[in-house]
Amino acid sequence: MGDIVDFLSFRLFIGPAVLPFCYILGAAGIPFGVWLAAKRTERFLEKQVPEAHRAGEEYASGHGYRGRIVSFFALLFVISEILWRILFEFLMAFLQMREALLFLINNQ
């Protein structure tokens, strides 16, 4: 009963146990989010091209924006994975500092 009261009053943190699980879920989900964003951007750019330019599309050597989109979203993927990792490192450092301060308070 005391653990439930501590949990509800935020004296007991579940963060250290839950953070690695959330990190893995987010790190695995970022590629899917980036892929969906790339597909939506590609559709958006295709709608922006005037009809006159689209008529000659079959004669073009390749899609003009495809290389740029792939390289942009590859860069976005790497940056988002790094930022996700940094966010969780800050969260874990905060929880470790909290635990260290509680340890110092309780041992005095």
Side-chain angles (χ1 to χ4, degrees):
M1 183 69 176
D3 288 338
I4 294 173
V5 172
D6 287 343
F7 173 72
L8 294 175
S9 65
F10 289 97
R11 279 186 241 134
L12 177 67
F13 280 15
I14 62 167
V18 175
L19 275 178
F21 179 71
C22 291
Y23 171 75
I24 291 171
L25 281 178
I30 286 174
F32 296 113
V34 169
W35 181 76
L36 287 173
K39 288 298 180 184
R40 286 186 177 199
T41 303
E42 187 176 21
R43 275 189 248 131
F44 173 76
L45 289 176
E46 285 175 358
K47 289 179 184 176
Q48 300 302 316
V49 175
E51 205 52 49
H53 291 289
R54 246 187 262 159
E57 187 175 339
E58 62 270 1
Y59 301 113
S61 61
H63 297 288
Y65 290 111
R66 186 163 297 245
R68 289 182 186 174
I69 290 172
V70 169
S71 61
F72 174 72
F73 282 102
L75 180 66
L76 180 66
F77 168 74
V78 170
I79 290 172
S80 60
E81 287 286 344
I82 290 171
L83 290 176
W84 187 251
R85 174 67 184 224
I86 290 171
L87 170 73
F88 275 84
E89 286 178 1
F90 277 121
L91 289 171
M92 291 181 81
F94 169 74
L95 291 173
Q96 288 173 356
M97 284 187 284
R98 180 187 178 276
E99 292 294 324
L101 289 172
L102 288 175
F103 178 75
L104 289 173
I105 290 170
N106 291 332
N107 283 340
Q108 287 185 356

